mmCIF file of all heavy atoms in Angstrom:
data_model
loop_
_atom_site.group_PDB
_atom_site.id
_atom_site.type_symbol
_atom_site.label_atom_id
_atom_site.label_comp_id
_atom_site.label_asym_id
_atom_site.label_seq_id
_atom_site.Cartn_x
_atom_site.Cartn_y
_atom_site.Cartn_z
ATOM 1 N N VAL A 99 14.365 19.058 -90.600
ATOM 2 C CA VAL A 99 15.575 18.793 -91.374
ATOM 3 C C VAL A 99 15.423 17.504 -92.166
ATOM 4 O O VAL A 99 14.987 16.482 -91.624
ATOM 5 C CB VAL A 99 16.804 18.684 -90.446
ATOM 6 C CG1 VAL A 99 18.064 18.356 -91.251
ATOM 7 C CG2 VAL A 99 17.001 19.964 -89.641
ATOM 8 N N PHE A 100 15.756 17.555 -93.450
ATOM 9 C CA PHE A 100 15.846 16.359 -94.282
ATOM 10 C C PHE A 100 17.312 15.970 -94.425
ATOM 11 O O PHE A 100 18.146 16.802 -94.804
ATOM 12 C CB PHE A 100 15.288 16.618 -95.687
ATOM 13 C CG PHE A 100 13.813 16.407 -95.835
ATOM 14 C CD1 PHE A 100 12.920 17.421 -95.552
ATOM 15 C CD2 PHE A 100 13.303 15.184 -96.280
ATOM 16 C CE1 PHE A 100 11.556 17.239 -95.699
ATOM 17 C CE2 PHE A 100 11.944 14.993 -96.426
ATOM 18 C CZ PHE A 100 11.063 16.016 -96.141
ATOM 19 N N ASN A 101 17.633 14.709 -94.146
ATOM 20 C CA ASN A 101 18.957 14.188 -94.457
ATOM 21 C C ASN A 101 18.881 13.486 -95.806
ATOM 22 O O ASN A 101 18.365 12.382 -95.923
ATOM 23 C CB ASN A 101 19.445 13.194 -93.401
ATOM 24 C CG ASN A 101 20.725 12.509 -93.851
ATOM 25 O OD1 ASN A 101 21.635 13.153 -94.383
ATOM 26 N ND2 ASN A 101 20.793 11.192 -93.681
ATOM 27 N N ALA A 102 19.399 14.165 -96.834
ATOM 28 C CA ALA A 102 19.412 13.602 -98.178
ATOM 29 C C ALA A 102 20.844 13.361 -98.636
ATOM 30 O O ALA A 102 21.132 13.339 -99.832
ATOM 31 C CB ALA A 102 18.691 14.534 -99.150
ATOM 32 N N THR A 103 21.755 13.187 -97.677
ATOM 33 C CA THR A 103 23.126 12.827 -98.011
ATOM 34 C C THR A 103 23.221 11.316 -98.183
ATOM 35 O O THR A 103 22.322 10.572 -97.777
ATOM 36 C CB THR A 103 24.100 13.275 -96.904
ATOM 37 O OG1 THR A 103 23.812 12.546 -95.697
ATOM 38 C CG2 THR A 103 23.971 14.770 -96.640
ATOM 39 N N SER A 104 24.299 10.844 -98.768
ATOM 40 C CA SER A 104 24.523 9.404 -98.860
ATOM 41 C C SER A 104 24.638 8.822 -97.463
ATOM 42 O O SER A 104 25.286 9.400 -96.575
ATOM 43 C CB SER A 104 25.812 9.122 -99.641
ATOM 44 O OG SER A 104 26.172 7.760 -99.526
ATOM 45 N N GLY A 105 24.020 7.671 -97.254
ATOM 46 C CA GLY A 105 24.031 7.051 -95.936
ATOM 47 C C GLY A 105 25.416 6.722 -95.426
ATOM 48 O O GLY A 105 25.617 6.580 -94.215
ATOM 49 N N THR A 106 26.392 6.617 -96.317
ATOM 50 C CA THR A 106 27.762 6.320 -95.893
ATOM 51 C C THR A 106 28.451 7.532 -95.271
ATOM 52 O O THR A 106 29.470 7.387 -94.598
ATOM 53 C CB THR A 106 28.599 5.814 -97.083
ATOM 54 O OG1 THR A 106 28.557 6.788 -98.131
ATOM 55 C CG2 THR A 106 28.060 4.489 -97.599
ATOM 56 N N VAL A 107 27.913 8.729 -95.507
ATOM 57 C CA VAL A 107 28.521 9.950 -94.951
ATOM 58 C C VAL A 107 27.534 10.757 -94.117
ATOM 59 O O VAL A 107 27.831 11.879 -93.714
ATOM 60 C CB VAL A 107 29.103 10.839 -96.074
ATOM 61 C CG1 VAL A 107 30.186 10.095 -96.834
ATOM 62 C CG2 VAL A 107 28.014 11.330 -97.030
ATOM 63 N N SER A 108 26.355 10.200 -93.865
ATOM 64 C CA SER A 108 25.305 10.953 -93.169
ATOM 65 C C SER A 108 25.726 11.403 -91.783
ATOM 66 O O SER A 108 25.447 12.539 -91.374
ATOM 67 C CB SER A 108 24.021 10.124 -93.088
ATOM 68 O OG SER A 108 23.411 9.998 -94.347
ATOM 69 N N LEU A 109 26.378 10.531 -91.013
ATOM 70 C CA LEU A 109 26.782 10.917 -89.664
ATOM 71 C C LEU A 109 27.763 12.085 -89.697
ATOM 72 O O LEU A 109 27.677 13.002 -88.875
ATOM 73 C CB LEU A 109 27.393 9.727 -88.924
ATOM 74 C CG LEU A 109 26.410 8.633 -88.485
ATOM 75 C CD1 LEU A 109 27.154 7.521 -87.759
ATOM 76 C CD2 LEU A 109 25.312 9.193 -87.597
ATOM 77 N N ALA A 110 28.675 12.067 -90.657
ATOM 78 C CA ALA A 110 29.632 13.171 -90.780
ATOM 79 C C ALA A 110 28.913 14.464 -91.157
ATOM 80 O O ALA A 110 29.214 15.538 -90.613
ATOM 81 C CB ALA A 110 30.696 12.824 -91.817
ATOM 82 N N ALA A 111 27.960 14.374 -92.078
ATOM 83 C CA ALA A 111 27.219 15.561 -92.503
ATOM 84 C C ALA A 111 26.396 16.134 -91.358
ATOM 85 O O ALA A 111 26.354 17.359 -91.151
ATOM 86 C CB ALA A 111 26.323 15.219 -93.685
ATOM 87 N N LEU A 112 25.758 15.263 -90.605
ATOM 88 C CA LEU A 112 24.921 15.724 -89.493
ATOM 89 C C LEU A 112 25.771 16.254 -88.339
ATOM 90 O O LEU A 112 25.365 17.179 -87.636
ATOM 91 C CB LEU A 112 24.011 14.593 -89.026
ATOM 92 C CG LEU A 112 22.925 14.208 -90.045
ATOM 93 C CD1 LEU A 112 22.282 12.880 -89.669
ATOM 94 C CD2 LEU A 112 21.866 15.306 -90.146
ATOM 95 N N THR A 113 26.950 15.679 -88.158
ATOM 96 C CA THR A 113 27.875 16.216 -87.168
ATOM 97 C C THR A 113 28.293 17.629 -87.555
ATOM 98 O O THR A 113 28.373 18.530 -86.707
ATOM 99 C CB THR A 113 29.109 15.309 -87.037
ATOM 100 O OG1 THR A 113 28.690 14.019 -86.572
ATOM 101 C CG2 THR A 113 30.115 15.891 -86.050
ATOM 102 N N ALA A 114 28.542 17.832 -88.851
ATOM 103 C CA ALA A 114 28.880 19.169 -89.333
ATOM 104 C C ALA A 114 27.704 20.132 -89.158
ATOM 105 O O ALA A 114 27.901 21.326 -88.905
ATOM 106 C CB ALA A 114 29.293 19.104 -90.805
#
Side-chain angles (χ1 to χ4, degrees):
V99 178
F100 273 87
N101 171 43
T103 65
S104 169
T106 56
V107 299
S108 289
L109 288 180
L112 292 166
T113 298

